[in-house]
Amino acid sequence: MDWQKGENSDNVEEGSGGGGGGGFQPGGVHLGIGGILILVVLSLIFKRDLVTPFLGGTDAGVQQTSGQAQPTQPTQAVNCQNATDEQVSFACHIMGSTEKTWSDYFAAMGKTYVDPKLHLFTGEVATACGAASTAVGPFYCPGDKKVYLDLGFFQELQDRFHASGDFARAYVIAHEVGHHVQDLLGVFDKVQQLQQQGYPMDGANGLSVRQELQADCFAGVWANRTQQRLDWLKPGDVESALNAASAVGDDTLQKETQGRVMPDTFTHGTSAQRVKWFKAGMDSGDINSCNTFAGDP
């Protein structure tokens, strides 16, 4: 993947993050591939299932705090034009490509795309969704419109799950930005309304699965449109992203950590579903192909 072709972002920062209330709220944050993979890694290390409790709605693998979340580092803007760290430069270019793609897409719909911030952190971070640790992995917080990312998790992605390749890493960021797109389009509000009406969040047909699969599909839309503009993919790149999507299906992860599958606790969808919806977005380049809330997901 010729990721250097991507536009540089002006919306990357690093440090402790902003915002802050008390304990981390799993329901207020949207974990992607990174967060789930990190929980699996921790489960293997500590020989304890940390994935199922989290998927079932309780907090595992994240740090709980009480009271005001205290920042550990000051937040500062990253100069993407002069970034010397390759991982930081990669994140800058991928983020910039999402900004260009979605700005153009929203403009074609007669809407204005508001760029999110990409916040790079190490260790712990204070967010508008509460305090979180590296164990959460990449996530989007709608409270402050930021994507949070610890770049160190990319090594775990490659070493333990063999999901290597630049496009696999790009997919991770694009998925989290997909949640921001949902936020701007009012999907979060719709999900909240449906939840209040009694629709379940968890489970194979739950709202959480549908919301995550739509973010996968939006990542596919980004992949399609960015490829048309930049022609930056190489042979094997698409396969690496599909492999990454497959590696984080609820069924695959539950087999890995506990040897059995519990559909009632699904929150992100099966491996087949994640691949299906990413491909739907990538094949079409159209968010209208991403209605995961209709019919079976």
Side-chain angles (χ1 to χ4, degrees):
M1 179 184 186
D2 294 327
W3 56 264
Q4 295 90 345
K5 289 184 176 180
E7 298 82 1
N8 256 319
S9 174
D10 293 324
N11 296 293
V12 181
E13 62 185 26
E14 58 186 355
S16 62
F24 184 76
Q25 302 296 317
V29 98
H30 295 272
L31 298 181
I33 179 173
I36 301 302
L37 284 182
I38 292 295
L39 291 179
V40 173
V41 171
L42 292 174
S43 296
L44 296 175
I45 292 174
F46 294 108
K47 312 230 180 268
R48 174 182 164 204
D49 180 13
L50 298 175
V51 176
T52 300
F54 193 92
L55 296 183
T58 58
D59 190 12
V62 299
Q63 297 203 355
Q64 288 278 9
T65 61
S66 59
Q68 182 72 18
Q70 297 298 321
T72 57
Q73 313 168 35
T75 299
Q76 60 184 14
V78 172
N79 186 340
C80 285
Q81 298 291 339
N82 298 316
T84 56
D85 184 289
E86 184 174 310
Q87 291 277 50
V88 173
S89 182
F90 173 84
C92 285
H93 282 281
I94 300 304
M95 197 66 181
S97 76
T98 67
E99 292 164 0
K100 172 63 175 171
T101 294
W102 289 113
S103 290
D104 289 349
Y105 199 106
F106 271 54
M109 295 190 296
K111 299 178 181 290
T112 300
Y113 180 73
V114 180
D115 296 335
K117 293 280 188 181
L118 173 61
H119 185 93
L120 306 177
F121 74 98
T122 301
E124 297 180 346
V125 65
T127 83
C129 298
S133 73
T134 296
V136 178
F139 62 91
Y140 173 72
C141 175
D144 53 24
K145 315 297 184 189
K146 292 183 181 182
V147 171
Y148 289 87
L149 171 65
D150 184 336
L151 292 171
F153 111 90
F154 284 136
Q155 195 63 43
E156 294 286 354
L157 179 65
Q158 175 177 320
D159 293 347
R160 292 186 177 271
F161 296 92
H162 310 293
S164 60
D166 292 333
F167 197 46
R169 294 186 295 153
Y171 153 71
V172 171
I173 296 174
H175 172 94
E176 302 308 333
V177 172
H179 283 307
H180 178 67
V181 174
Q182 289 178 316
D183 195 4
L184 296 181
L185 293 177
V187 175
F188 286 6
D189 292 338
K190 175 184 176 182
V191 168
Q192 186 177 25
Q193 291 170 3
L194 291 173
Q195 184 181 14
Q196 292 172 348
Q197 293 171 18
Y199 288 86
M201 284 297 294
D202 296 340
N205 290 307
L207 296 173
S208 179
V209 166
R210 296 174 185 275
Q211 192 168 0
E212 292 297 330
L213 293 177
Q214 187 176 65
D216 280 333
C217 190
F218 285 176
V221 172
W222 159 82
N224 174 294
R225 298 206 164 219
T226 306
Q227 172 64 5
Q228 289 186 40
R229 188 178 76 254
L230 299 177
D231 188 26
W232 61 353
L233 297 183
K234 298 179 179 179
D237 282 341
V238 173
E239 289 75 11
S240 74
L242 294 176
N243 180 47
S246 177
V248 291
D250 285 325
D251 53 343
T252 300
L253 295 175
Q254 289 183 352
K255 287 179 184 177
E256 180 74 26
T257 58
Q258 61 188 19
R260 61 194 177 105
V261 177
M262 301 174 62
D264 288 346
T265 66
F266 283 1
T267 61
H268 284 64
T270 65
S271 294
Q273 287 173 324
R274 301 203 72 168
V275 169
K276 166 191 168 182
W277 285 104
F278 178 78
K279 289 180 66 176
M282 188 163 186
D283 289 345
S284 69
D286 183 358
I287 64 172
N288 292 312
S289 68
C290 299
N291 186 4
T292 57
F293 291 90
D296 295 328

